[in-house]
Amino acid sequence: MTMIEKNLQIVRARVSDACRAAGRDRSEVALLAVSKTFDADAVVQACAAGQMAFGENYIQEAVQKISALRHLNLQWHCIGPVQSNKTRLVAEHFDWVHTVDRFKIAQRLSEQRPAHLPALQVCIQVNADAGATKSGLAPQEALALAQQVAGLPRIRLRGVMSIPEPAPDFAAACAVFAKVRAVFDQLKAAGLALDTLSMGMSADLEAAIQSGSTMVRVGTAIFGGRSRAA
Ligand SMILES: *Cc1c(COP(=O)(O)O)cnc(C)c1O
């Protein structure tokens, strides 16, 4: 068994245990394997162990992997910041984008999404702990952006994403995740048909699942430590 396969088993068990602890069905939580900084071979190993959905932060690096691995029919999620000059690459190569926090970016993604591909699946990124240097919009701005994005023709709005700062303990992590969950619930209450709450990483996936996450994004616990900074 490869290290990646073994790690995937451990992470899947963590997700299952967290679902059980939260009284949730295991099928409610998807696992996204964050392969940023790791090469195509690592992705192939994870795929061989049954992992089909991958998250990438750096567009150029991701496009190389996506092109090299097209025959595997993997699902690719952009979870890094998207600048205007990168929207075309994202629209042409990814299945999902989790990091939309400006209408202008969503508009470009919709315009540039090739007609032969299905709509681009999108989450609105919310900055729930007011982390000073982070992207994502304030919770009170999410509804207005979500309503605009939902009207774009080549985009399908799926939900809300957040990357909180590491919290000191489980309760503190849950408190921040609850704010993201509240945004998700608010958008649904406003009539948007959303099914994805993207939150939780290697260190805090249990708290995220306890707080309602439907998609955890896990890198280090699957692929090991990154030598390059994220
Ligand atoms: C790197 C990254 C992850 C994975 O983080 P780990 O701590 O390695 O699990 C998840 N989400 C985003 C947005 C990331 O940039």
Side-chain angles (χ1 to χ4, degrees):
M1 198 190 297
T2 65
M3 179 65 82
I4 288 173
E5 189 177 0
K6 195 180 295 174
N7 286 345
L8 263 171
Q9 283 188 359
I10 294 167
V11 170
R12 287 174 184 143
R14 282 178 62 190
V15 172
S16 295
D17 290 348
C19 285
R20 200 172 306 118
R24 300 180 60 195
D25 196 281
R26 174 63 182 83
S27 65
E28 291 175 31
V29 182
L31 173 61
L32 186 63
V34 178
S35 45
K36 65 183 176 202
T37 79
F38 291 94
D39 61 14
D41 184 57
V43 174
V44 170
Q45 284 185 44
C47 173
Q51 179 66 31
M52 298 299 284
F54 293 86
E56 290 280 341
N57 286 55
Y58 313 104
I59 314 297
Q60 227 96 26
E61 174 197 327
V63 167
Q64 286 185 4
K65 281 181 241 182
I66 294 170
S67 303
L69 300 176
R70 206 164 288 289
H71 57 288
L72 294 177
N73 280 319
L74 303 172
Q75 192 182 72
W76 293 96
H77 295 236
C78 176
I79 60 171
V82 180
Q83 311 300 336
S84 291
N85 63 354
K86 292 282 164 47
T87 51
R88 184 173 297 281
L89 276 178
V90 171
E92 289 178 349
H93 293 276
F94 283 87
D95 303 290
W96 283 65
V97 182
H98 291 224
T99 45
V100 167
D101 61 1
R102 284 183 288 156
F103 184 59
K104 184 178 158 230
I105 296 293
Q107 236 175 346
R108 290 175 65 92
L109 291 169
S110 179
E111 283 164 12
Q112 294 168 346
R113 182 67 168 173
H116 69 277
L117 294 177
L120 189 62
Q121 313 294 302
V122 162
C123 291
I124 301 285
Q125 185 180 353
V126 171
N127 183 348
D129 55 359
T133 60
K134 279 208 315 278
S135 43
L137 76 180
Q140 63 272 19
E141 297 168 342
L143 178 59
L145 178 62
Q147 283 170 330
Q148 279 187 303
V149 170
L152 291 169
R154 300 290 295 134
I155 281 185
R156 176 149 171 241
L157 183 64
R158 295 294 294 270
V160 175
M161 178 268 207
S162 193
I163 321 171
E165 294 292 333
D169 55 43
F170 186 84
C174 288
V176 177
F177 286 135
K179 293 188 193 173
V180 187
R181 165 74 180 271
V183 173
F184 182 58
D185 289 343
Q186 178 206 14
L187 269 46
K188 288 197 292 182
L192 295 166
L194 307 182
D195 61 9
T196 303
L197 183 51
S198 165
M199 59 187 193
M201 316 202 300
S202 292
D204 56 13
L205 69 87
E206 284 83 3
I209 289 170
Q210 179 65 42
S211 310
S213 171
T214 70
M215 193 180 288
V216 291
R217 310 177 308 263
V218 179
T220 308
I222 295 171
F223 296 105
R226 290 178 291 270
S227 47
R228 186 142 59 80

